[in-house]
Amino acid sequence: MRTMRYALCCGTAAGLTTTAALMLLARLEGRSPWQPANATSHWVWGEEAGAMEEADMRHTLLGLLTNQLSAMFWGLPFGAWLARRPPRDAPAMLRDASVMAAIAAAVDYLLMPKRLTPGWELALPKRSVAAAFGALALGLALGGLAARPRHR
């Protein structure tokens, strides 16, 4: 039960934080805020999904769902890690979440076939992709802090 609470909180927060960061990063890069989400749908629609600037059901909804499910996936091992250890303070939580985000980045961009990457590189430069993984770490940490057992 504790593992699932951590996993759900971490995955949900990571997905929401990453999505918000990707939208902001796209705007800062002078791009449509929908482009990173649309690009994530490239696993179905191909690389041209990254050029889609408008929100639509076909690209945006699939991209947002894919991103959230991916964040939930990374929330599972992080939640299991947290559940088996004593509660940690915010700096330790962020450190551990940063390690998990680095593992996610390595798996997503070094081990996965190109078709199964997040696709953010189709819409954003590398520095923004790296920042998005920083947002993933922040979301995992925030979720972990929210899921900690409350002491009375």
Side-chain angles (χ1 to χ4, degrees), residues 18-98:
T18 304
T19 297
L22 286 165
M23 294 178 86
L24 176 62
L25 290 162
R27 293 303 298 157
L28 292 172
E29 296 289 349
R31 312 245 170 114
S32 163
W34 302 112
Q35 273 185 274
N38 292 340
T40 301
S41 74
H42 79 108
W43 68 274
V44 171
W45 307 118
E47 289 191 16
E48 63 275 1
M52 297 293 301
E53 294 182 357
E54 300 297 319
D56 67 8
M57 295 293 283
R58 184 176 175 191
H59 297 92
T60 314
L61 184 60
L62 179 61
L64 291 171
L65 270 170
T66 301
N67 186 63
Q68 189 62 42
L69 289 173
S70 175
M72 298 300 288
F73 171 83
W74 289 110
L76 284 170
F78 190 62
W81 167 262
L82 294 176
R84 287 172 177 72
R85 280 154 185 77
R88 56 212 4 91
D89 61 9
M93 185 72 74
L94 186 57
R95 179 202 62 219
D96 292 351
S98 295

Side-chain angles (χ1 to χ4, degrees), residues 18 22 25-26 29 31 35-43 46-52 67 104-105 107-110 112-133:
T18 304
L22 286 165
L25 290 162
E29 296 289 349
R31 312 245 170 114
Q35 273 185 274
N38 292 340
T40 301
S41 74
H42 79 108
W43 68 274
E47 289 191 16
E48 63 275 1
M52 297 293 301
N67 186 63
V107 169
D108 284 351
Y109 280 104
L110 298 176
M112 286 289 118
K114 185 159 176 52
R115 190 76 175 217
L116 298 179
T117 67
W120 302 334
E121 75 285 358
L122 298 173
L124 297 171
K126 288 180 184 178
R127 68 179 174 264
S128 291
V129 172
F133 279 101

